[in-house]
Amino acid sequence: MRKIIFAVIGLFLATVSSVQAFEIVATVNDEVISDYDIDMRLKMMQVLMKTPITEQTKKQVLDTLILEKIKKHEAGTKGISVAEGEIKEGLSFLEKQNGMEPGTLQKILKEEDVSFDTLENQITADLLWLKILQSENEEPPVVTEKEVNARLDEIKKEMMKPTYLLAEIYIPFGSDKAAAEEQAQSLFDRVVKGEVFPELAAQFSKGKTASMGGDLGWVSSGALEKAVDRILEQMEPGQMSKPIEGEKGYYLILMRDKQKALTSTDVEAWSVAQLLLPKGQKDRFSDQLAKTDGNPQAFTSLAMREGLKGSGLMPEMPVPRMPDQLYELLKDAPVKKIVGPIEANDFDLFLMKCDKRTVSVLPKADMIKKQLEMEKMEQRSEKKLQELKKKAVIEKK
């Protein structure tokens, strides 16, 4: 009997010990946020989005968790809740949006030892907030024709400039410009020797993009400092710049991709199909291929039926935005005629320019209107959330 009592006491103490191992980082309206909550959210972001873990990321995660607590508290005061089925629908939507099979997210998180509650809590907070906003019964934001046309003009101007897909490492001068230059050069050398650019950006960059591995996304010519902009014109995809001296610091720029400036928003677009055959198989399919020459539908069907992954009809591509290598292969090819074989290491590639037509690369006016409506709704949402944050009792430990 005494052994049982001691065993129960031991189990209780072990449980208390494990609970006390998690430190309270903040309280929001008496709701606790622990370092465990932050660690799980960081780990989930790292697993699902490859987000580097930095001090800045940790601060962002804490701010996000505080806002989620505020959303849940507000939902409680209004008697708003979400059912388990709604959370499952939200999860299913996320998986479909990312091209995943049902159950994939749960499987991934389990394999990486991330509590599934972490994702469910995030989905729950978002669903509750959506219901709160819907309960306000506010009129939809008004978007005028003038606003739509102004946005279309902005987009058109940007399309007339070259654009670059970039990542950066930024080292400010601080009080020692020479030391900043030395650090930038050292980071350049480390990348050249094989270290990963995004990891170094997350660890050493002092720019706003550090928490995203330095990712700047697509940037139009003229959007960055003049010293950087001049270098971009000379770079090719895959290249990294040497340290560039800017107005207040040094930049290392990684050119991930680039697009030429358009001369018009009405451009020629090609519909292209491809067929990838395993090495040594082209003779076996030569007769079938010959029968599809001049018949895009037959070629596409053969590609889908017999080809490797990646075979079939590709999305219609505006010619000015087409990869240079693909353009060179097809520029002189007649429509509906097979091009190939083009030999690669593991397969032989056959291409067909199925169709060509003139298209506008400008988005439709109704799409722009919806985008502007969403932006205005997000502004309303952010304003309301910040008002609730001011009223909340928040204490960071």
Side-chain angles (χ1 to χ4, degrees), residues 197-281:
F197 190 99
E199 291 180 3
L200 292 176
Q203 188 174 356
F204 296 104
S205 179
K206 302 304 180 185
K208 293 179 181 179
T209 62
S211 64
M212 298 178 287
D215 181 21
L216 277 165
W218 284 100
V219 176
S220 297
S221 175
L224 302 177
E225 286 192 40
K226 289 182 180 179
V228 176
D229 209 52
R230 285 194 296 269
I231 299 294
L232 296 180
E233 297 173 4
Q234 306 162 24
M235 295 177 67
E236 294 298 327
Q239 281 189 326
M240 178 182 61
S241 72
K242 291 182 178 180
I244 304 167
E245 183 178 337
E247 294 176 3
K248 297 180 180 180
Y250 287 97
Y251 294 89
L252 291 177
I253 299 293
L254 177 64
M255 175 78 72
R256 296 156 59 198
D257 201 356
K258 66 190 298 185
Q259 292 180 337
K260 298 173 185 175
L262 297 179
T263 55
S264 170
T265 54
D266 292 326
V267 300
E268 186 173 291
W270 296 345
S271 177
V272 178
Q274 62 180 5
L275 171 67
L276 297 93
L277 290 177
K279 277 291 184 185
Q281 296 293 309

Coordinates of all heavy atoms in Angstrom, one line a residue, residues 197-281:
F197 N 22.7 31.0 -48.2 CA 22.4 32.5 -48.1 C 21.2 32.8 -47.1 O 21.4 33.6 -46.3 CB 22.1 33.0 -49.5 CG 22.0 34.5 -49.6 CD1 23.0 35.2 -50.1 CD2 20.8 35.2 -49.2 CE1 23.0 36.6 -50.2 CE2 20.7 36.6 -49.3 CZ 21.8 37.3 -49.8
P198 N 20.1 32.1 -47.3 CA 19.0 32.5 -46.3 C 19.3 32.3 -44.9 O 18.9 33.0 -44.0 CB 17.8 31.5 -46.8 CG 18.1 31.2 -48.2 CD 19.6 31.1 -48.3
E199 N 20.1 31.2 -44.6 CA 20.5 31.0 -43.2 C 21.4 32.1 -42.6 O 21.2 32.5 -41.5 CB 21.2 29.6 -43.1 CG 20.2 28.4 -43.3 CD 20.9 27.1 -43.2 OE1 22.2 27.1 -42.9 OE2 20.3 26.0 -43.4
L200 N 22.3 32.5 -43.5 CA 23.2 33.6 -43.1 C 22.4 34.9 -42.9 O 22.7 35.7 -42.0 CB 24.3 33.8 -44.1 CG 25.4 32.7 -44.1 CD1 26.4 32.9 -45.2 CD2 26.1 32.5 -42.7
A201 N 21.4 35.1 -43.8 CA 20.6 36.3 -43.8 C 19.8 36.3 -42.5 O 19.7 37.4 -41.8 CB 19.7 36.4 -45.0
A202 N 19.2 35.2 -42.1 CA 18.4 35.1 -40.9 C 19.3 35.4 -39.6 O 18.8 36.0 -38.7 CB 17.8 33.7 -40.8
Q203 N 20.6 35.0 -39.7 CA 21.4 35.1 -38.5 C 22.1 36.5 -38.4 O 22.2 37.0 -37.3 CB 22.5 34.0 -38.6 CG 23.3 33.9 -37.3 CD 24.3 32.7 -37.3 OE1 24.3 31.9 -38.3 NE2 25.1 32.6 -36.3
F204 N 22.5 37.1 -39.6 CA 23.3 38.2 -39.5 C 22.7 39.5 -40.1 O 23.1 40.6 -39.7 CB 24.7 38.0 -40.2 CG 25.5 36.9 -39.6 CD1 25.6 35.6 -40.1 CD2 26.2 37.2 -38.4 CE1 26.3 34.6 -39.6 CE2 27.0 36.2 -37.8 CZ 27.0 34.9 -38.4
S205 N 21.8 39.4 -41.0 CA 21.2 40.6 -41.7 C 20.5 41.4 -40.6 O 19.8 40.9 -39.7 CB 20.3 40.2 -42.8 OG 19.7 41.4 -43.4
K206 N 20.6 42.7 -40.8 CA 19.9 43.7 -39.9 C 18.7 44.3 -40.7 O 18.1 45.3 -40.2 CB 20.8 44.8 -39.4 CG 22.0 44.2 -38.6 CD 21.6 43.4 -37.4 CE 22.8 42.8 -36.7 NZ 22.4 41.9 -35.6
G207 N 18.4 43.8 -41.8 CA 17.3 44.3 -42.6 C 15.9 43.8 -42.1 O 15.9 42.8 -41.4
K208 N 14.8 44.4 -42.6 CA 13.5 43.9 -42.2 C 13.2 42.5 -42.7 O 12.3 41.9 -42.2 CB 12.4 44.9 -42.7 CG 12.5 46.3 -42.1 CD 11.5 47.2 -42.7 CE 11.6 48.6 -42.1 NZ 10.6 49.6 -42.7
T209 N 13.9 42.1 -43.7 CA 13.6 40.7 -44.3 C 14.4 39.6 -43.6 O 14.3 38.5 -44.0 CB 14.0 40.7 -45.8 OG1 15.4 41.0 -45.9 CG2 13.2 41.8 -46.6
A210 N 15.1 39.9 -42.6 CA 16.0 38.9 -41.9 C 15.2 37.7 -41.5 O 15.6 36.5 -41.7 CB 16.8 39.5 -40.8
S211 N 14.0 37.9 -40.9 CA 13.2 36.8 -40.4 C 12.7 35.9 -41.5 O 12.3 34.8 -41.2 CB 12.1 37.3 -39.6 OG 11.2 38.1 -40.4
M212 N 12.8 36.4 -42.7 CA 12.3 35.6 -43.9 C 13.5 35.1 -44.7 O 13.4 34.8 -45.9 CB 11.4 36.4 -44.8 CG 10.1 36.8 -44.0 SD 9.0 37.9 -45.1 CE 10.0 39.4 -45.1
G213 N 14.7 35.0 -44.1 CA 15.9 34.6 -44.8 C 16.3 35.6 -45.9 O 17.0 35.2 -46.8
G214 N 16.0 36.9 -45.7 CA 16.4 37.9 -46.6 C 15.5 38.0 -47.8 O 15.9 38.8 -48.8
D215 N 14.4 37.3 -47.9 CA 13.6 37.3 -49.1 C 12.9 38.6 -49.3 O 12.1 39.1 -48.5 CB 12.5 36.2 -49.0 CG 11.6 36.1 -50.2 OD1 12.1 36.5 -51.3 OD2 10.5 35.5 -50.1
L216 N 13.3 39.2 -50.5 CA 12.7 40.5 -50.9 C 11.5 40.3 -51.8 O 10.8 41.3 -52.1 CB 13.7 41.4 -51.6 CG 14.7 42.2 -50.6 CD1 15.8 42.7 -51.4 CD2 13.9 43.4 -50.0
G217 N 11.3 39.1 -52.4 CA 10.3 38.9 -53.4 C 10.6 39.6 -54.7 O 11.8 39.9 -55.0
W218 N 9.6 39.8 -55.5 CA 9.8 40.5 -56.8 C 9.9 42.0 -56.6 O 9.0 42.6 -56.0 CB 8.6 40.1 -57.8 CG 8.7 38.8 -58.4 CD1 8.1 37.7 -58.0 CD2 9.6 38.4 -59.4 NE1 8.4 36.6 -58.7 CE2 9.3 37.0 -59.7 CE3 10.5 39.0 -60.3 CZ2 10.0 36.3 -60.7 CZ3 11.1 38.3 -61.3 CH2 10.9 36.9 -61.4
V219 N 10.9 42.6 -57.1 CA 11.2 44.0 -56.9 C 11.4 44.6 -58.3 O 12.1 44.1 -59.1 CB 12.5 44.2 -56.1 CG1 12.8 45.7 -56.0 CG2 12.3 43.6 -54.7
S220 N 10.7 45.8 -58.5 CA 10.8 46.5 -59.8 C 12.0 47.3 -59.8 O 12.5 47.8 -58.8 CB 9.6 47.4 -60.0 OG 8.4 46.6 -60.1
S221 N 12.5 47.6 -61.0 CA 13.7 48.5 -61.2 C 13.3 49.8 -60.6 O 12.2 50.4 -60.9 CB 14.0 48.6 -62.7 OG 15.0 49.5 -62.9
G222 N 14.2 50.4 -59.8 CA 14.0 51.7 -59.2 C 13.4 51.7 -57.8 O 13.3 52.7 -57.2
A223 N 13.1 50.5 -57.3 CA 12.5 50.4 -56.0 C 13.5 50.4 -54.9 O 13.2 50.7 -53.8 CB 11.6 49.1 -55.9
L224 N 14.8 50.1 -55.2 CA 15.8 50.0 -54.2 C 16.8 51.2 -54.4 O 16.7 52.0 -55.3 CB 16.6 48.6 -54.3 CG 15.7 47.4 -54.2 CD1 16.5 46.1 -54.4 CD2 15.0 47.4 -52.8
E225 N 17.8 51.2 -53.5 CA 18.8 52.3 -53.5 C 19.5 52.3 -54.9 O 19.6 51.2 -55.5 CB 19.8 52.1 -52.4 CG 19.3 52.5 -51.0 CD 20.5 52.6 -50.1 OE1 21.6 53.1 -50.5 OE2 20.4 52.1 -48.9
K226 N 19.9 53.5 -55.3 CA 20.5 53.6 -56.7 C 21.7 52.7 -56.8 O 21.9 52.1 -57.9 CB 20.9 55.1 -56.9 CG 19.7 56.0 -57.2 CD 20.1 57.4 -57.4 CE 18.9 58.3 -57.7 NZ 19.3 59.7 -57.9
A227 N 22.5 52.6 -55.8 CA 23.7 51.8 -55.9 C 23.4 50.3 -56.1 O 24.1 49.6 -56.9 CB 24.5 51.9 -54.6
V228 N 22.3 49.8 -55.5 CA 21.9 48.5 -55.7 C 21.2 48.3 -57.1 O 21.5 47.3 -57.8 CB 20.8 48.1 -54.6 CG1 20.3 46.7 -54.8 CG2 21.5 48.1 -53.2
D229 N 20.4 49.3 -57.4 CA 19.7 49.2 -58.7 C 20.6 49.1 -59.9 O 20.4 48.4 -60.9 CB 18.8 50.5 -58.8 CG 17.6 50.2 -59.7 OD1 16.8 49.2 -59.4 OD2 17.3 50.9 -60.6
R230 N 21.8 49.8 -59.8 CA 22.7 49.8 -60.9 C 23.3 48.4 -61.1 O 23.6 47.9 -62.2 CB 23.8 50.8 -60.7 CG 23.4 52.3 -60.9 CD 24.7 53.1 -61.0 NE 25.4 53.2 -59.7 CZ 25.1 54.1 -58.8 NH1 24.2 55.0 -59.0 NH2 25.8 54.1 -57.7
I231 N 23.6 47.7 -60.0 CA 24.2 46.4 -60.0 C 23.2 45.4 -60.6 O 23.5 44.4 -61.3 CB 24.6 46.0 -58.6 CG1 25.6 46.9 -58.0 CG2 25.1 44.5 -58.5 CD1 26.9 46.9 -58.8
L232 N 21.9 45.5 -60.2 CA 20.9 44.5 -60.7 C 20.8 44.4 -62.2 O 20.6 43.3 -62.7 CB 19.5 45.0 -60.2 CG 19.3 45.0 -58.7 CD1 17.8 45.5 -58.3 CD2 19.6 43.7 -58.0
E233 N 21.0 45.5 -62.9 CA 21.0 45.5 -64.4 C 22.1 44.6 -64.9 O 21.9 44.0 -66.0 CB 21.2 46.9 -64.9 CG 20.0 47.9 -64.5 CD 20.3 49.3 -64.9 OE1 21.4 49.5 -65.6 OE2 19.6 50.2 -64.6
Q234 N 23.1 44.4 -64.2 CA 24.3 43.6 -64.7 C 24.2 42.1 -64.3 O 25.0 41.3 -64.7 CB 25.6 44.2 -64.2 CG 25.7 45.7 -64.6 CD 26.8 46.4 -63.7 OE1 27.7 45.7 -63.2 NE2 26.7 47.7 -63.6
M235 N 23.3 41.8 -63.3 CA 23.3 40.4 -62.8 C 22.4 39.5 -63.5 O 21.5 39.9 -64.2 CB 22.9 40.5 -61.3 CG 23.8 41.3 -60.4 SD 23.2 41.4 -58.7 CE 23.3 39.7 -58.2
E236 N 22.7 38.2 -63.4 CA 22.0 37.1 -64.0 C 21.4 36.2 -62.9 O 22.0 36.2 -61.7 CB 22.8 36.3 -64.9 CG 23.3 37.0 -66.2 CD 22.2 37.5 -67.0 OE1 21.1 36.9 -67.1 OE2 22.3 38.6 -67.6
P237 N 20.3 35.5 -63.1 CA 19.8 34.6 -62.1 C 20.8 33.6 -61.6 O 21.6 33.1 -62.3 CB 18.7 33.8 -62.9 CG 18.2 34.8 -63.9 CD 19.5 35.5 -64.3
G238 N 20.8 33.5 -60.2 CA 21.8 32.6 -59.6 C 23.0 33.3 -59.1 O 23.8 32.8 -58.3
Q239 N 23.2 34.6 -59.5 CA 24.4 35.3 -59.1 C 24.2 36.0 -57.8 O 23.1 36.4 -57.4 CB 24.8 36.4 -60.2 CG 25.5 35.8 -61.4 CD 26.0 36.9 -62.3 OE1 25.4 38.0 -62.4 NE2 27.2 36.7 -62.9
M240 N 25.3 36.2 -57.1 CA 25.3 37.0 -55.8 C 26.3 38.2 -56.0 O 27.4 38.0 -56.6 CB 25.7 36.2 -54.6 CG 25.7 37.0 -53.3 SD 26.3 36.0 -51.9 CE 27.9 35.5 -52.5
S241 N 25.9 39.4 -55.6 CA 26.7 40.5 -55.7 C 27.8 40.5 -54.7 O 27.7 39.9 -53.6 CB 25.9 41.8 -55.5 OG 25.5 41.9 -54.1
K242 N 28.9 41.2 -54.9 CA 29.9 41.5 -53.9 C 29.2 42.6 -53.0 O 28.2 43.2 -53.4 CB 31.2 42.0 -54.5 CG 31.9 40.9 -55.3 CD 33.2 41.4 -55.8 CE 34.0 40.3 -56.5 NZ 35.3 40.7 -57.1
P243 N 29.8 42.9 -51.8 CA 29.2 43.9 -51.0 C 29.0 45.2 -51.7 O 29.9 45.7 -52.4 CB 30.2 44.0 -49.8 CG 30.9 42.7 -49.8 CD 31.0 42.2 -51.2
I244 N 27.8 45.7 -51.6 CA 27.4 47.0 -52.3 C 27.3 48.1 -51.2 O 26.5 47.9 -50.3 CB 26.1 46.9 -53.1 CG1 26.1 45.7 -54.1 CG2 25.7 48.2 -53.7 CD1 24.8 45.3 -54.6
E245 N 28.0 49.2 -51.4 CA 27.9 50.3 -50.4 C 26.7 51.1 -50.7 O 26.6 51.7 -51.7 CB 29.2 51.1 -50.5 CG 29.1 52.2 -49.4 CD 30.4 53.1 -49.4 OE1 31.5 52.6 -49.9 OE2 30.3 54.2 -48.9
G246 N 25.7 51.1 -49.7 CA 24.5 51.9 -49.9 C 24.7 53.2 -49.0 O 25.8 53.6 -48.6
E247 N 23.6 53.9 -48.8 CA 23.6 55.1 -48.1 C 24.0 55.0 -46.6 O 24.6 55.8 -46.0 CB 22.3 55.9 -48.2 CG 21.9 56.3 -49.6 CD 20.5 56.9 -49.8 OE1 19.9 57.0 -48.7 OE2 20.1 57.2 -50.9
K248 N 23.5 53.9 -46.0 CA 23.7 53.7 -44.6 C 24.2 52.3 -44.2 O 24.3 51.9 -43.0 CB 22.3 53.9 -43.8 CG 21.8 55.3 -44.0 CD 20.5 55.5 -43.2 CE 20.0 56.9 -43.3 NZ 18.7 57.1 -42.6
G249 N 24.5 51.5 -45.2 CA 25.1 50.2 -44.9 C 25.5 49.4 -46.2 O 25.4 50.0 -47.3
Y250 N 25.9 48.2 -46.0 CA 26.4 47.3 -47.1 C 25.3 46.3 -47.4 O 24.7 45.7 -46.5 CB 27.7 46.7 -46.8 CG 28.9 47.6 -46.8 CD1 29.4 48.2 -45.6 CD2 29.5 47.9 -48.0 CE1 30.4 49.1 -45.7 CE2 30.6 48.8 -48.1 CZ 31.0 49.4 -46.9 OH 32.1 50.2 -46.9
Y251 N 25.1 46.0 -48.7 CA 24.2 45.0 -49.1 C 24.9 43.8 -49.8 O 25.8 44.1 -50.6 CB 23.2 45.6 -50.1 CG 22.2 46.6 -49.6 CD1 22.6 48.0 -49.6 CD2 21.0 46.3 -49.1 CE1 21.7 48.9 -49.1 CE2 20.1 47.2 -48.6 CZ 20.5 48.6 -48.6 OH 19.6 49.5 -48.2
L252 N 24.4 42.6 -49.6 CA 24.7 41.5 -50.4 C 23.4 41.1 -51.1 O 22.4 40.9 -50.4 CB 25.2 40.3 -49.6 CG 26.6 40.4 -49.0 CD1 26.9 39.2 -48.2 CD2 27.7 40.6 -50.1
I253 N 23.4 41.0 -52.4 CA 22.1 40.8 -53.1 C 22.2 39.4 -53.9 O 23.2 39.2 -54.6 CB 21.8 41.9 -54.1 CG1 21.6 43.2 -53.4 CG2 20.6 41.5 -54.9 CD1 20.4 43.3 -52.5
L254 N 21.3 38.6 -53.7 CA 21.2 37.3 -54.4 C 20.1 37.5 -55.5 O 18.9 37.7 -55.1 CB 20.9 36.2 -53.5 CG 20.7 34.8 -54.1 CD1 22.0 34.3 -54.8 CD2 20.2 33.8 -53.1
M255 N 20.5 37.3 -56.7 CA 19.5 37.4 -57.8 C 18.9 36.0 -58.1 O 19.6 35.1 -58.6 CB 20.2 37.9 -59.1 CG 19.3 37.9 -60.3 SD 18.2 39.3 -60.4 CE 19.2 40.6 -60.8
R256 N 17.7 35.8 -57.7 CA 17.1 34.5 -57.8 C 16.5 34.3 -59.2 O 16.4 33.2 -59.7 CB 16.0 34.3 -56.7 CG 16.7 34.3 -55.3 CD 15.7 34.7 -54.2 NE 14.6 33.8 -54.2 CZ 13.4 34.0 -53.6 NH1 13.2 35.2 -53.0 NH2 12.4 33.2 -53.6
D257 N 15.9 35.4 -59.7 CA 15.3 35.3 -61.1 C 15.1 36.7 -61.6 O 15.2 37.7 -60.8 CB 14.0 34.6 -61.0 CG 13.5 34.0 -62.4 OD1 14.2 34.3 -63.4 OD2 12.5 33.3 -62.5
K258 N 14.8 36.9 -62.8 CA 14.6 38.2 -63.4 C 13.6 38.2 -64.5 O 13.5 37.1 -65.2 CB 15.9 38.9 -63.8 CG 16.6 38.2 -65.0 CD 18.0 38.8 -65.2 CE 18.0 40.2 -65.6 NZ 19.4 40.7 -65.9
Q259 N 12.9 39.3 -64.8 CA 12.0 39.4 -65.9 C 12.2 40.7 -66.6 O 12.5 41.7 -66.0 CB 10.5 39.3 -65.4 CG 10.1 38.0 -64.9 CD 8.6 38.0 -64.4 OE1 8.1 39.0 -64.1 NE2 8.0 36.8 -64.3
K260 N 12.2 40.6 -68.0 CA 12.4 41.8 -68.8 C 11.2 42.7 -68.7 O 10.1 42.3 -68.4 CB 12.6 41.4 -70.2 CG 13.8 40.5 -70.5 CD 13.9 40.0 -71.9 CE 15.0 39.0 -72.1 NZ 15.0 38.4 -73.5
A261 N 11.5 44.0 -69.0 CA 10.4 45.0 -69.0 C 9.6 44.7 -70.2 O 10.0 44.3 -71.3 CB 11.0 46.4 -69.1
L262 N 8.3 44.9 -70.1 CA 7.3 44.8 -71.2 C 7.3 46.1 -72.0 O 7.4 47.2 -71.4 CB 5.9 44.5 -70.7 CG 5.7 43.1 -69.9 CD1 4.3 43.0 -69.5 CD2 6.1 42.0 -70.8
T263 N 7.0 46.0 -73.3 CA 6.9 47.2 -74.1 C 5.4 47.5 -74.3 O 5.0 48.6 -74.7 CB 7.5 47.1 -75.4 OG1 7.0 45.9 -76.1 CG2 9.0 46.9 -75.3
S264 N 4.5 46.5 -74.0 CA 3.1 46.6 -74.1 C 2.5 45.6 -73.1 O 3.0 44.6 -72.8 CB 2.6 46.4 -75.5 OG 1.2 46.3 -75.6
T265 N 1.2 45.9 -72.7 CA 0.5 45.0 -71.8 C -0.3 44.0 -72.7 O -0.8 43.0 -72.1 CB -0.4 45.7 -70.8 OG1 -1.3 46.5 -71.6 CG2 0.4 46.5 -69.8
D266 N -0.3 44.2 -74.0 CA -0.9 43.2 -74.9 C 0.2 42.5 -75.6 O 1.0 43.0 -76.3 CB -1.8 43.9 -76.0 CG -3.0 44.5 -75.4 OD1 -3.6 44.0 -74.4 OD2 -3.4 45.6 -75.9
V267 N 0.4 41.2 -75.2 CA 1.5 40.4 -75.7 C 1.1 39.1 -76.3 O 0.0 38.6 -76.1 CB 2.5 40.1 -74.5 CG1 3.0 41.4 -73.9 CG2 1.8 39.3 -73.4
E268 N 2.0 38.5 -77.0 CA 1.8 37.2 -77.6 C 2.0 36.1 -76.5 O 2.9 36.2 -75.6 CB 2.7 36.9 -78.7 CG 2.4 35.6 -79.4 CD 3.3 35.4 -80.7 OE1 3.0 36.1 -81.7 OE2 4.2 34.5 -80.7
A269 N 1.1 35.2 -76.4 CA 1.2 34.1 -75.4 C 1.1 32.7 -76.1 O 0.4 32.6 -77.1 CB 0.1 34.2 -74.4
W270 N 1.9 31.8 -75.6 CA 1.9 30.4 -76.2 C 1.3 29.4 -75.2 O 1.6 29.5 -74.0 CB 3.3 30.0 -76.6 CG 4.0 30.8 -77.6 CD1 3.4 31.7 -78.5 CD2 5.4 30.9 -77.9 NE1 4.4 32.3 -79.3 CE2 5.6 31.8 -78.9 CE3 6.5 30.2 -77.4 CZ2 6.8 32.1 -79.5 CZ3 7.8 30.5 -77.9 CH2 7.9 31.5 -78.9
S271 N 0.6 28.5 -75.8 CA 0.2 27.3 -75.1 C 1.1 26.2 -75.4 O 1.2 25.8 -76.6 CB -1.3 27.0 -75.4 OG -1.7 25.8 -74.8
V272 N 1.8 25.6 -74.5 CA 2.9 24.7 -74.7 C 2.6 23.4 -74.0 O 2.3 23.4 -72.8 CB 4.3 25.2 -74.3 CG1 5.4 24.2 -74.5 CG2 4.6 26.5 -75.1
A273 N 2.8 22.2 -74.7 CA 2.7 20.9 -74.0 C 4.1 20.3 -74.1 O 4.9 20.5 -75.0 CB 1.7 20.0 -74.7
Q274 N 4.4 19.4 -73.1 CA 5.7 18.7 -73.1 C 5.5 17.3 -72.7 O 4.6 16.9 -72.0 CB 6.7 19.4 -72.1 CG 6.2 19.3 -70.6 CD 7.2 20.0 -69.7 OE1 8.2 20.6 -70.1 NE2 7.0 19.9 -68.4
L275 N 6.4 16.5 -73.3 CA 6.4 15.0 -73.1 C 7.8 14.6 -72.6 O 8.8 14.9 -73.3 CB 6.0 14.3 -74.3 CG 6.2 12.8 -74.4 CD1 5.2 12.1 -73.4 CD2 5.9 12.2 -75.7
L276 N 7.9 14.0 -71.5 CA 9.2 13.5 -71.0 C 9.2 12.0 -71.0 O 8.4 11.4 -70.3 CB 9.4 14.0 -69.5 CG 9.5 15.5 -69.3 CD1 8.1 16.1 -69.0 CD2 10.5 15.9 -68.2
L277 N 10.1 11.5 -71.8 CA 10.2 10.0 -71.9 C 11.5 9.5 -71.2 O 12.6 10.2 -71.4 CB 10.2 9.6 -73.4 CG 8.9 9.7 -74.1 CD1 9.1 9.3 -75.6 CD2 7.8 8.9 -73.5
P278 N 11.5 8.4 -70.5 CA 12.7 7.9 -69.9 C 13.7 7.6 -71.0 O 13.4 7.3 -72.1 CB 12.2 6.6 -69.2 CG 10.7 6.7 -69.1 CD 10.3 7.6 -70.2
K279 N 15.0 7.7 -70.6 CA 16.1 7.4 -71.5 C 15.9 6.0 -72.1 O 15.6 5.1 -71.4 CB 17.4 7.5 -70.8 CG 18.0 8.9 -70.6 CD 18.4 9.4 -72.0 CE 19.1 10.8 -71.8 NZ 19.4 11.3 -73.1
G280 N 16.1 6.0 -73.4 CA 16.0 4.7 -74.1 C 14.6 4.3 -74.6 O 14.4 3.3 -75.2
Q281 N 13.6 5.2 -74.3 CA 12.2 4.9 -74.7 C 11.7 5.6 -75.9 O 10.7 5.3 -76.4 CB 11.3 5.2 -73.5 CG 11.5 4.5 -72.2 CD 11.2 3.0 -72.4 OE1 10.1 2.7 -72.8 NE2 12.1 2.1 -72.0

